Amino acid sequence: KQEVTQIPAALSVPEGENLVLNCSFTDSAIYNLQWFRQDPGKGLTSLLLIQSSQREQTSGRLNASLDKSSGRSTLYIAASQPGDSATYLCAVLETSGSRLTFGEGTQLTVNP
Amino acid sequence: KAGVTQTPRYLIKTRGQQVTLSCSPISGHRSVSWYQQTPGQGLQFLFEYFSETQRNKGNFPGRFSGRQFSNSRSEMNVSTLELGDSALYLCASSPNSATNEKLFFGSGTQLSVL
């Protein structure tokens, strides 16, 4: 059974800091890995999708990497802003079907 | 282009009742998935529909069911509600359920069972 773990569970940083969020998964048989953002009481917004054959994806100040063999992904946020405060979730799409398995998320607070 | 629309936004029910939640995907999207989010269990997959057929199902009891209509709109039903069914129910859509597609989520329906 696929398990996804995110570290740390919570993170508080001053504005302007570069930061890294970590995600690990137990079964490397995945189609892709996605990073999402969730604001309180809201749905999820897809940030980046990395195919299993790719090593990284970039969008603006966000960069996500994937090491499928070791079961790890990182989300790098450059020059953090208060508007980045949210819960960040990673999820893997398994080759066995169309379901996403999510981690528990990292709650990020960026202080002005 | 309108996003994924879920109705109602909030719902309060009592134990034993049943509830139906609705999801309208982005126009042109044929795949609709449902997820349950709770503080204790996080996000868990309920089921996925594609072109009116259930393609995948999570590990939930038979009280949880769903369907998809010819216009791709989807409903999920929970019968004989239990306190533990209180959760945020999220719907997501994608064009074809292909492995290189992002999922687009709605804002969810917050269900409270009293």
Side-chain angles (χ1 to χ4, degrees):
Chain A
K1 180 189 171 187
Q2 177 77 265
E3 292 182 3
V4 180
T5 305
Q6 291 187 244
I7 295 173
L11 185 61
S12 182
V13 300
E15 182 177 3
E17 193 161 297
N18 301 325
L19 55 99
V20 174
L21 308 181
N22 296 291
C23 172
S24 62
F25 48 96
T26 55
D27 187 347
S28 62
I30 63 170
Y31 277 128
N32 64 48
L33 183 144
Q34 299 182 52
W35 283 92
F36 294 89
R37 167 188 173 137
Q38 186 174 30
D39 293 285
K42 299 288 181 64
L44 279 65
T45 300
S46 180
L47 298 173
L48 291 164
L49 182 154
I50 312 177
Q51 296 294 339
S52 61
S53 59
Q54 296 177 320
R55 297 285 292 183
E56 66 177 328
Q57 281 287 329
T58 298
S59 176
R61 295 182 294 108
L62 304 179
N63 176 278
S65 67
L66 173 64
D67 184 342
K68 199 175 79 160
S69 60
S70 67
R72 295 178 188 273
S73 175
T74 61
L75 178 66
Y76 175 83
I77 302 177
S80 58
Q81 303 170 358
D84 294 332
S85 298
T87 297
Y88 290 80
L89 297 135
C90 75
V92 296
L93 181 66
E94 302 176 40
T95 56
S96 57
S98 51
R99 70 178 69 189
L100 284 173
T101 300
F102 283 85
E104 291 292 326
T106 294
Q107 186 173 356
L108 172 65
T109 303
V110 181
N111 301 300
Chain B
K1 205 173 192 181
V4 179
T5 304
Q6 291 189 246
T7 57
R9 185 70 179 91
Y10 301 95
L11 206 48
I12 299 175
K13 292 286 188 179
T14 56
R15 281 182 300 173
Q17 287 187 310
Q18 77 165 19
V19 67
T20 299
L21 312 181
S22 179
C23 171
S24 293
I26 291 172
S27 178
H29 286 195
R30 294 192 293 163
S31 171
V32 174
S33 303
W34 289 88
Y35 290 82
Q36 181 197 65
Q37 186 175 31
T38 60
Q41 298 295 320
L43 274 150
Q44 293 187 290
F45 174 80
L46 282 156
F47 26 65
E48 187 231 359
Y49 287 87
F50 180 78
S51 293
E52 302 179 66
T53 301
Q54 186 181 87
R55 287 160 52 102
N56 208 342
K57 188 178 189 305
N59 298 322
F60 280 81
R63 300 185 296 107
F64 291 81
S65 63
R67 59 178 175 169
Q68 186 180 33
F69 302 95
S70 58
N71 62 357
S72 294
R73 189 177 72 84
S74 177
E75 289 181 347
M76 68 163 281
N77 184 75
V78 188
S79 62
T80 319
L81 284 166
E82 301 178 359
L83 295 179
D85 297 333
S86 294
L88 179 66
Y89 289 88
L90 292 165
C91 161
S93 76
S94 64
N96 294 298
S97 188
T99 60
N100 61 344
E101 294 176 345
K102 288 184 177 180
L103 288 187
F104 295 84
F105 280 81
S107 297
T109 294
Q110 183 68 55
L111 172 65
S112 298
V113 182
L114 306 178

